[in-house]
């Protein structure tokens, strides 16, 4: 008795159908406008948020403070690695 061979698997081409793609995008919540009027390009952009909100320029003083504090922190860290005894004496004496 010969086993009956199943028919070959046919690949569904639903992604090439524009209506099917639109339905898929609606189910995923991609490509449509949300309550704020923002159009999401992907699910990741929905999770992470819109990057336009982060293009606000910070005040110059904030940037200067961040740079100065980063330089001071790096300098103290290098001093702690290179000259730990002198840093200890400077802090605790």
């Amino acid at each position: 008795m010969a086993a009956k061979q199943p028919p070959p698997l046919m690949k569904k081409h639903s992604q090439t159908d524009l209506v099917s793609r639109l339905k898929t995008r609606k189910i995923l919540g991609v490509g449509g406008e949300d309550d704020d009027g923002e159009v999401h390009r992907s699910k990741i952009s929905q999770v992470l948020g819109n990057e336009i909100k982060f293009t606000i320029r910070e005040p110059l003083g904030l940037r200067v403070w961040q740079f100065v504090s980063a330089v001071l922190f790096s300098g103290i860290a290098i001093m702690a690695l290179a000259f730990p005894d002198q840093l200890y004496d400077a802090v605790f004496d």
Side-chain angles (χ1 to χ4, degrees):
M1 215 172 178
K4 192 173 185 182
Q5 293 291 331
L9 295 175
M10 300 295 289
K11 185 176 180 182
K12 185 177 179 183
H13 296 287
S14 64
Q15 290 299 334
T16 58
D17 182 19
L18 293 178
V19 175
S20 179
R21 288 183 71 189
L22 179 63
K23 287 179 184 177
T24 304
R25 290 178 69 82
K26 278 188 174 185
I27 290 171
L28 291 175
V30 176
E33 290 186 7
D34 61 0
D35 296 335
D36 298 330
E38 296 176 357
V39 177
H40 296 286
R41 302 283 179 232
S42 68
K43 205 64 172 174
I44 292 175
S45 69
Q46 287 180 347
V47 171
L48 296 178
N50 195 351
E51 69 275 356
I52 294 174
K53 297 174 188 172
F54 302 112
T55 58
I56 300 170
R57 291 188 50 109
E58 296 94 8
L60 181 62
L62 177 63
R63 290 182 180 209
V64 169
W65 170 251
Q66 289 174 339
F67 178 75
V68 168
S69 61
V71 168
L72 287 174
F73 184 77
S74 299
I76 292 173
I78 290 171
M79 187 177 169
L81 290 173
F83 310 107
D85 294 333
Q86 286 82 0
L87 182 64
Y88 182 83
D89 291 338
V91 171
F92 294 109
D93 278 341

